[in-house]
Amino acid sequence: MTESVERPAPGVVRVMTWNIHGGAGRDRRRDLQRVVELVRRHHPQIVALQEIDSRKRPPSAPDAFTFLGDELGGNARASRLIRAPDGDYGHALISSWPLAPARYHDISYRRREPRAAIETTVETPHGQLHVVAAHLGLSFRERHHQALKLARIVRRGKDRGILMGDLNDWTARGSARRILDRLFPGHSYIRTFPAFWPLLPLDRIYCQPRTMLSRCWTDRNARAVSDHLPLIADLVLEDGP
């Protein structure tokens, strides 16, 4: 792995969202340690990970949700959407700062794959930050339904908040993107999929107010780790109460 990037400046909160594809890279080998090393390289204080998969792991391997939560911050809220005898599948929000008890919102659509949004509050050194993490579905109508639900969740939040995750919106004027872009004037637009030749901005970070978003970037080294590139952003928070 390449050398570490600079740490967040004082007063800056660094966030990351990444679909880790179960930790399987181009070599098709599951290796969560590679995921941990790449995330740590960027020093994010809040991380949303999608497609965490603890199924079909060797008997000696740790649970993926527990391992990633412990290694990447120690404070985690996980949505284990698919439970099986040999493990679970879903997504998680992890932070190095304390998290309030999470609310798990069912955003599933009809009989398609179960989906949930994780909503919590992060106690940053600069005050509270409302955070929502999600992984949207694969059909156009499904994502439209889910984006409307996310909009209602976000509107109930505090003045300062972020929404991040894998939107799966690949059309130029995707329904979910159109809804959320209006709600969040401050948002990323970086191509993250497929990792080996990114063409689509599937992974997004939204923030309010828009002035919070200082910069965002990705890391091409992730091509060896997942089929998505991670999305990282620096947010500037004025000290709150």
Side-chain angles (χ1 to χ4, degrees):
M1 194 69 67
T2 55
E3 65 181 19
S4 174
V5 301
E6 63 182 13
R7 292 181 178 273
V12 169
V13 173
R14 183 165 295 167
V15 301
M16 172 188 284
T17 182
W18 189 14
N19 183 325
I20 64 171
H21 193 48
R26 295 179 67 181
D27 57 7
R28 298 183 180 181
R29 180 172 60 89
R30 287 192 183 186
D31 188 347
L32 293 179
Q33 188 58 44
R34 293 189 297 194
V35 173
V36 168
E37 290 174 3
L38 190 135
V39 172
R40 285 178 173 172
R41 176 176 183 261
H42 294 275
H43 312 291
Q45 294 114 340
I46 304 171
V47 184
L49 299 179
Q50 301 86 46
E51 292 194 18
I52 301 173
D53 197 348
S54 63
R55 299 169 297 180
K56 299 180 180 179
R57 68 185 190 275
S60 60
D63 172 74
F65 290 87
T66 303
F67 175 78
L68 293 169
D70 290 345
E71 293 292 318
L72 297 178
N75 301 293
R77 301 289 182 263
S79 179
R80 300 178 184 239
L81 294 165
I82 298 176
R83 291 184 176 270
D86 59 344
D88 304 322
Y89 172 89
H91 66 118
L93 187 65
I94 305 167
S95 178
S96 56
W97 295 319
L99 299 174
R103 297 181 65 183
Y104 299 93
H105 301 270
D106 185 0
I107 58 172
S108 304
Y109 182 71
R110 295 182 178 177
R111 296 186 178 181
R112 299 189 67 86
E113 181 180 326
R115 305 278 178 174
I118 304 172
E119 178 189 16
T120 188
T121 300
V122 182
E123 297 289 345
T124 83
H126 317 288
Q128 294 184 338
L129 180 65
H130 182 244
V131 181
V132 178
H135 184 190
L136 303 194
L138 297 176
S139 78
F140 186 89
R141 290 185 178 180
E142 182 181 13
R143 292 192 300 275
H144 180 82
H145 163 84
Q146 292 164 346
L148 291 174
K149 281 199 166 187
L150 288 175
R152 289 194 290 270
I153 295 168
V154 168
R155 288 190 181 107
R156 291 200 302 264
K158 302 180 184 302
D159 294 335
R160 302 187 303 179
I162 58 173
L163 165 65
M164 55 182 177
D166 179 359
L167 295 192
N168 266 324
D169 232 12
W170 54 78
T171 58
R173 295 183 179 273
S175 177
R177 192 186 310 170
R178 189 166 62 246
I179 292 168
L180 296 173
D181 283 3
R182 287 199 302 264
L183 183 61
F184 288 96
H187 54 263
S188 65
Y189 193 88
I190 294 179
R191 296 171 181 176
T192 56
F193 182 87
F196 67 89
W197 191 267
L199 298 172
L200 305 171
L202 299 190
D203 307 277
R204 305 294 291 272
I205 294 174
Y206 291 91
C207 66
Q208 60 180 11
R210 66 184 302 171
T211 53
M212 279 204 317
L213 185 60
S214 172
R215 66 180 182 125
C216 54
W217 68 97
T218 188
D219 187 341
R220 291 295 184 95
N221 291 294
R223 289 177 293 182
V225 184
S226 173
D227 61 346
H228 285 241
L229 297 179
L231 186 60
I232 312 106
D234 278 351
L235 308 178
V236 179
L237 272 65
E238 295 181 1
D239 285 347

